[in-house]
Amino acid sequence: AGSTLAAPAIAQEQPEVTWRLTSSFPKALDTIYGGAEVLSRMVSEATDGKFNIQVYSAGEIVPGLQAADAASSGTVQACHTVSYYYVGKNPAWAVGAAVPFALNARGMNAWHYHGGGIDLFNQFLGKQGLFGLPGGNTGVQMGGWFRKEINTVNDLQGLKMRIGGFAGQVMQKLGVVPQQIAGGDIYPALEKGTIDATEWVGPYDDEKLGFQEVAPYYYYPGFWEGGPTVHFMFNKSEYENLPPHYQSLLRTACQAADANMLQQYDWLNPKAVQSLVSKGAQLRPFSQEILTASFDAANEVYSEVSAENEDFKMLWESVKDFRKQWYLWQQVSENTFDTFMMIQQRNNAL
Amino acid sequence: AGSTLAAPAIAQEQPEVTWRLTSSFPKALDTIYGGAEVLSRMVSEATDGKFNIQVYSAGEIVPGLQAADAASSGTVQACHTVSYYYVGKNPAWAVGAAVPFALNARGMNAWHYHGGGIDLFNQFLGKQGLFGLPGGNTGVQMGGWFRKEINTVNDLQGLKMRIGGFAGQVMQKLGVVPQQIAGGDIYPALEKGTIDATEWVGPYDDEKLGFQEVAPYYYYPGFWEGGPTVHFMFNKSEYENLPPHYQSLLRTACQAADANMLQQYDWLNPKAVQSLVSKGAQLRPFSQEILTASFDAANEVYSEVSAENEDFKMLWESVKDFRKQWYLWQQVSENTFDTFMMIQQRNNAL
């Protein structure tokens, strides 16, 4: 009798819950794929193994770009993905992750956690049966790898570049011909000249693919992803059916895993960029002409999309209001400190 | 019989633990004081109230600057503090938080979480019976409030400034006369001219004290705190006696609460700086002459202290090695993106 009485009491306290999480990323991208493993470890350890999130890499259950659909439909309870993968359904998806010339990583975090971004984005995600929380950030990405130098907007005419979604739409206005190619096929396409350029992530991830051997010009910054937010998304009913203490733990662990990814990239990228340069990567900043033309093209896209899409408009206006304040403050704060420190670095004084 | 059998099983799973945490901060500093309340809420919610951390503000149990001592001696199990408050004991304490011209907030986080900083700093804290984890960051602070404009190093001669610890030592080399004054006494001292200047935190916290009325020149950046890490510190034995799942939960919640403080400051400071300007604050960047002389003075202090203090040297060399790589990478990544965005801000194009 003791055990039958004891069992429900224990079960109420720490019920056994097993979830499947499908990642949009392959295991080879250990930092970004690893973000879901970090979440899983945190949740499992804190519950002595009772709340168990099993992580599957892209393709094990569904293809990487169908991760959100799988969580929405209940095929899995959770996914780890980037919301801009789903702009084909509705451009509003992109705003929760990154759109061109928006916020850097700290700005995105401020907006998500304290500027109402999480709630606003969940007003949208809720309609798809999802509940989402920030689940990582890469910091500003690199502009990608180019076979030839590009200096002017004219150099972009007819340029075949692997670049997707919203960023592709913006670049198309400048004459770029966006290409959709899976990660593993990029290197041979660049080698053969089937494409002229590709964007990927940043130094640590890019180094594994060896692009410097076939497209050595490595441009920066990736202005279409100033600080992209990766997301954990949960099937809304499954999340709501969790006991409140598991919900709370999940939110805490998401916030910790979110921060951890950026912390890890910030440790790994400084070494990787130096290593890439030693292997032949030629670092090049995008010219002001190209940046300015791209900024104008992005603003055109925002006007067009806002005119016809209420979800997009609501989210974008919220980001845009904060963007103005954020970059004013950046001039007074981080930028003056960082600039002084960068001058010392260039003078070999650090 | 059922209940007596059930009780121990439940007790093992989620034992009731009540800790007292003493904060170095008054409740009026809601963002930084609030960091401990965030931690407490996360831990309590995730354990259904079983692991309970009671937060006390500065002075309720011990004065703010004795928080680490209280955790070390076991008067309390935990504290929330900034390690540079304890430089009087040993300058090595400062390196885990902030020393002049070191890393910005993202750099500090990269070093702590993935560059071995947490372990290295705990080698030092362990000797004081403490285990510490990052527990917040303000971002780069402001350089503070001055009654008169200062343009040259000569303007610093004999300047009575409220500035403590390591930063005070550096400024002293340039002729500043550091003053130690409690928060509540600063305003009248500035008003009467007993002191000429004060540093505090950043716009959101500074605005509450109204310094712009008595010392309107608001200088930036606070180069002695490029990204100061606030710490949660635990009595080492108390931490080690926790069941492993509570230890893990505490680590996860600390990482989340740590990130959350910076996210909150980053949301609040942009609005506050605009509000301060509307109330009469005169924003001024420190001149390159003052920055360069301060940088040289800081390097002198580092050489002097490293020569006689092994703990300091071990920690500082680790930060310094990463600093060089970090600011090289910043030039390629955040700085180019942010600079372009700040130009658009100045052009009223955002």
Side-chain angles (χ1 to χ4, degrees), chain A residues 103-115 262 322-323 325-330 333-334, chain B residues 31 105-106 109 137-141 202-205 226-227 258-274:
Chain A
L103 298 163
N104 60 15
R106 280 178 53 182
M108 277 303 277
N109 285 337
W111 178 75
H112 273 302
Y113 287 98
H114 294 275
L262 184 62
F322 180 53
R323 184 178 66 162
Q325 299 168 34
W326 176 244
Y327 286 109
L328 181 61
W329 167 237
Q330 291 281 98
S333 57
E334 299 301 327
Chain B
T31 308
R106 279 176 55 181
N109 285 338
N137 201 303
T138 60
V140 65
Q141 298 201 353
Y204 178 72
D205 292 325
D258 175 34
N260 190 69
M261 188 189 292
L262 184 62
Q263 288 154 0
Q264 194 172 6
Y265 271 116
D266 283 347
W267 176 253
L268 296 169
N269 279 327
K271 281 180 184 57
V273 77
Q274 291 184 66

Side-chain angles (χ1 to χ4, degrees), chain A residues 13 45 50 248 331 346, chain B residues 13 45 50 248 331 346:
Chain A
E13 250 198 353
E45 283 184 6
K50 297 286 170 29
S248 176
Q331 288 169 65
R346 282 191 214 166
Chain B
E13 253 197 351
E45 283 184 7
K50 297 288 172 25
S248 174
Q331 288 170 64
R346 282 190 215 169

Side-chain angles (χ1 to χ4, degrees), chain A residues 19 23 32 52 118 126 129-130 134 139 150 203-204 209 213 220 229 256 264 287-288 290 303 305 314 322 328 340 344:
Chain A
W19 273 13
S23 173
I32 196 163
N52 181 15
I118 287 177
L130 292 167
I150 52 156
Y204 178 72
L209 297 179
E213 296 158 12
Y220 61 91
T229 297
Q264 193 170 10
S287 65
Q288 287 301 304
I290 288 176
S303 298
V305 177
M314 168 194 77
F322 180 53
L328 181 61
F340 181 80
Q344 307 316 309

Side-chain angles (χ1 to χ4, degrees), chain A:
Chain A
S3 66
T4 53
L5 276 170
I10 293 170
Q12 271 186 315
E13 250 198 353
Q14 298 286 76
E16 300 225 8
V17 173
T18 298
W19 273 13
R20 296 198 305 169
L21 179 151
T22 188
S23 173
S24 284
F25 316 107
K27 285 187 183 158
L29 290 176
D30 57 299
T31 308
I32 196 163
Y33 171 80
E37 290 190 320
V38 167
L39 178 77
S40 169
R41 181 181 50 70
M42 287 172 168
V43 167
S44 170
E45 283 184 6
T47 58
D48 242 342
K50 297 286 170 29
F51 186 0
N52 181 15
I53 300 175
Q54 297 168 345
V55 181
Y56 296 87
S57 64
E60 286 192 276
I61 299 176
V62 293
L65 301 184
Q66 292 168 28
D69 306 80
S72 169
S73 67
T75 302
V76 294
Q77 290 83 5
C79 71
H80 194 217
T81 190
V82 188
S83 65
Y84 59 45
Y85 290 156
Y86 311 97
V87 286
K89 297 177 195 291
N90 181 338
W93 280 87
V95 190
V99 292
F101 300 104
L103 298 163
N104 60 15
R106 280 178 53 182
M108 277 303 277
N109 285 337
W111 178 75
H112 273 302
Y113 287 98
H114 294 275
I118 287 177
D119 290 345
L120 215 57
F121 197 47
N122 275 315
Q123 282 179 31
F124 173 73
L125 291 179
K127 294 188 225 168
Q128 349 281 329
L130 292 167
F131 173 69
L133 292 171
N137 200 304
T138 61
V140 64
Q141 298 201 354
M142 292 291 285
W145 301 88
F146 292 72
R147 283 164 49 97
K148 293 185 187 155
E149 283 191 83
I150 52 156
N151 299 305
T152 65
V153 173
N154 206 42
D155 294 339
L156 298 175
Q157 301 312 306
L159 189 98
K160 294 193 287 287
M161 180 170 183
R162 181 201 175 269
I163 184 168
F166 227 96
Q169 220 176 317
V170 169
M171 297 306 279
Q172 204 165 9
K173 282 194 180 268
L174 302 179
V176 167
V177 187
Q179 311 285 312
Q180 308 283 359
I181 302 180
D185 299 331
I186 303 173
Y187 185 100
L190 281 171
E191 192 174 28
K192 286 179 205 145
T194 315
I195 61 171
D196 304 302
T198 187
E199 61 95 44
W200 190 240
V201 186
Y204 178 72
D205 292 326
D206 292 12
E207 190 174 7
K208 295 175 190 158
L209 297 179
F211 294 139
Q212 76 281 355
E213 296 158 12
V214 287
Y217 299 102
Y218 195 23
Y219 277 86
Y220 61 91
F223 51 81
W224 47 88
E225 306 193 51
T229 297
V230 178
H231 268 87
F232 292 113
M233 291 182 196
F234 310 107
N235 180 281
K236 198 162 179 282
S237 312
E238 294 279 358
Y239 173 78
E240 286 166 357
N241 287 336
L242 285 176
H245 65 299
Y246 279 15
Q247 286 182 8
S248 176
L249 171 63
L250 195 60
R251 291 194 301 269
T252 296
C254 282
Q255 193 166 8
D258 175 33
N260 190 70
M261 189 190 291
L262 184 62
Q263 290 155 357
Q264 193 170 10
Y265 271 117
D266 282 348
W267 176 254
L268 296 169
N269 278 329
K271 282 182 182 58
V273 77
Q274 291 186 65
S275 167
L276 280 167
V277 167
S278 76
K279 290 175 179 172
Q282 305 281 320
L283 284 171
R284 294 284 184 280
F286 282 124
S287 65
Q288 287 301 304
E289 180 188 326
I290 288 176
L291 288 174
T292 304
S294 303
F295 181 70
D296 293 342
N299 285 337
E300 279 178 37
V301 174
Y302 295 143
S303 298
E304 290 161 15
V305 177
S306 293
E308 61 190 23
N309 186 317
E310 274 303 315
D311 291 324
F312 180 89
K313 194 177 175 210
M314 168 194 77
L315 287 160
W316 172 237
E317 292 295 326
S318 173
V319 168
K320 206 178 153 194
D321 281 350
F322 180 53
R323 184 178 66 162
K324 206 181 296 191
Q325 299 168 34
W326 176 244
Y327 286 109
L328 181 61
W329 167 237
Q330 291 281 98
Q331 288 169 65
V332 173
S333 57
E334 299 301 327
N335 195 253
T336 45
F337 181 70
D338 292 350
T339 299
F340 181 80
M341 295 307 290
M342 289 186 291
I343 293 167
Q344 307 316 309
Q345 196 281 330
R346 282 191 214 166
N347 293 344
N348 272 318
L350 295 188

Side-chain angles (χ1 to χ4, degrees), chain B residues 136-151:
Chain B
N137 201 303
T138 60
V140 65
Q141 298 201 353
M142 291 293 284
W145 300 88
F146 292 72
R147 283 163 51 96
K148 294 187 188 153
E149 284 192 81
I150 51 158
N151 298 303

